[in-house]
């Protein structure tokens, strides 16, 4: 029987910046357009956080029953370590998906954007089939595409739309930046696991690209959002606040390009999450202040 502390570790709380970031930027864009609803922002955060934790449990279950997590560096896996039964972890994933669905339905009803129900269903399906099912797309190198779409575009623009009813160009560019940094988090994780994933036949994008090109890909993902910040600053000067997060991106990028491997990449993963959170917070503030300019 897994302890509470082990369940918390299994939920992988260090990945929660990927849930918080899109809601921050999306809400900042809504404020910048002249409308905001704290209640709807909270609901959006519940949806995002429940999906992130749910997909972590779903991955733990699916990878665990396949034996993918038997030998792995990084946070503990509940099924792989046999701390919890596969059925218990699968149930935890479904409970998280149910919470996301309930909060999402409430948000959709308040915004009267019923078409978003289909988007929400697609998000939950994407969370499960990332590593679940007979043909998981995460094993086919499509994980980064899903993260970019669901946590970048859908998460950010969905937050903005359910509050303001409109989506402006700054919100779109901000969503792209969030998506890129969320992908950087995933790439840092998959870079660490290239050897193990190759051995068990899990063909992530990192496995397909190889070590050297994956490191270059990470650097591009981590730094490109700051280029986008400069572009957004042309339209709204306060958005340049996002550049203040650039010093945080230098250490993990340098570590990856210099060949960090194994456990040092766990620190890179943590640092990348902090870059995502810092850039998103500063960008959200800049987008909100744009209303005054």
């Amino acid at each position: 029987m897994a302890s509470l502390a082990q369940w918390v570790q299994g939920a992988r709380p260090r990945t929660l910046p990927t849930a918080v970031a899109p809601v921050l930027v999306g809400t900042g864009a809504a404020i910048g357009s002249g409308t905001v609803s704290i209640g709807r922002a909270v609901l959006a955060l519940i949806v995002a956080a429940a999906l992130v934790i749910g997909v972590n449990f779903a991955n733990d279950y699916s990878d665990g029953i396949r034996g993918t997590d038997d030998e792995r560096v990084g946070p503990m896996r509940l099924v792989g370590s046999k701390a919890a039964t596969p059925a218990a972890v699968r149930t935890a994933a479904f409970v998280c998906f149910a919470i996301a669905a309930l909060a999402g339905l409430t948000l959709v009803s308040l915004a009267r954007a019923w078409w978003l129900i289909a988007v929400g269903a697609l998000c939950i399906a994407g969370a499960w089939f990332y590593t679940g099912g007979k043909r998981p797309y995460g094993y086919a190198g499509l994980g980064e595409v899903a993260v970019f779409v669901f946590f970048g575009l859908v998460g950010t623009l969905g937050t903005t739309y359910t509050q303001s009813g409109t989506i402006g160009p700054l919100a779109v560019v901000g969503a792209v930046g969030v998506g890129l940094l969320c992908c950087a988090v995933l790439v840092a994780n998959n870079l660490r696991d290239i050897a193990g994933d190759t051995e068990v036949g899990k063909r992530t994008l990192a496995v397909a690209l190889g070590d050297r090109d994956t490191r270059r890909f990470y650097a591009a993902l981590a730094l490109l959002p700051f280029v986008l910040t400069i572009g957004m600053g042309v339209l709204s000067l306060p958005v340049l606040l996002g550049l203040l997060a650039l010093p945080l991106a230098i250490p993990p990028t340098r570590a990856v390009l210099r060949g960090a491997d194994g456990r040092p990449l766990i620190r890179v993963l943590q640092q990348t999450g902090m870059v995502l959170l810092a850039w998103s917070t500063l960008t959200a503030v800049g987008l909100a202040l744009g209303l005054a300019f």
Side-chain angles (χ1 to χ4, degrees):
M1 180 71 70
S3 66
L4 177 60
Q6 288 174 318
W7 277 105
V8 171
Q9 290 181 57
R12 303 184 69 180
R14 288 171 179 164
T15 63
L16 284 177
T18 61
V20 176
V23 177
L24 284 173
V25 174
T27 300
I31 295 173
S33 69
T35 58
V36 65
S37 171
I38 299 302
R40 296 183 190 184
V42 170
L43 284 170
L45 181 59
I46 293 173
V47 172
L51 283 175
V52 168
I53 296 173
V55 76
N56 286 338
F57 283 139
N59 292 347
D60 192 308
Y61 165 78
S62 297
D63 284 342
I65 62 174
R66 286 189 174 92
T68 307
D69 285 342
D70 289 350
E71 298 292 336
R72 184 177 292 272
V73 176
M76 78 162 293
R77 304 304 201 273
L78 292 164
V79 176
S81 67
K82 299 191 171 46
T85 65
V89 177
R90 181 182 59 199
T91 297
F94 287 165
V95 167
C96 291
F97 293 153
I99 292 172
L102 181 60
L105 286 172
T106 304
L107 180 58
V108 165
S109 66
L110 290 173
R112 297 188 178 279
W114 302 108
W115 59 273
L116 284 175
I117 292 177
V119 176
L122 186 62
C123 289
I124 292 175
W128 176 254
F129 289 107
Y130 173 55
T131 56
K134 294 182 179 180
R135 295 180 180 275
Y137 65 85
Y139 281 45
L142 297 175
E144 284 76 8
V145 174
V147 165
F148 180 80
V149 171
F150 293 131
F151 290 104
L153 302 184
V154 174
T156 306
L157 300 180
T159 298
T160 301
Y161 186 81
T162 53
Q163 292 184 58
S164 66
T166 60
I167 294 175
L170 287 177
V172 173
V173 179
V176 171
V178 171
L180 292 173
L181 284 171
C182 286
C183 285
V185 173
L186 179 59
V187 170
N189 180 78
N190 289 345
L191 174 62
R192 182 193 66 212
D193 295 333
I194 285 179
D197 287 341
T198 300
E199 185 176 344
V200 298
K202 184 176 181 180
R203 190 171 174 78
T204 63
L205 183 59
V207 170
L209 290 176
D211 185 88
R212 183 182 64 177
D213 287 343
T214 297
R215 293 178 186 278
R216 293 173 176 175
F217 184 46
Y218 170 86
L221 291 171
L223 298 177
L224 187 54
F226 297 98
V227 177
L228 296 179
T229 295
I230 296 173
M232 286 191 289
V234 174
L235 299 176
S236 179
L237 190 62
V239 182
L240 292 175
L241 281 171
L243 292 176
L244 294 177
L246 181 57
L248 295 177
I250 302 304
T253 302
R254 182 185 294 121
V256 167
L257 292 177
R258 290 182 176 178
D261 200 5
R263 291 196 174 276
L265 284 175
I266 297 176
R267 177 167 174 75
V268 167
L269 185 61
Q270 297 168 354
Q271 292 173 323
T272 308
M274 291 307 300
V275 174
L276 169 62
L277 196 56
W279 182 87
S280 299
T281 300
L282 292 165
T283 298
V285 172
L287 290 168
L289 290 176
L291 180 63
F293 281 74

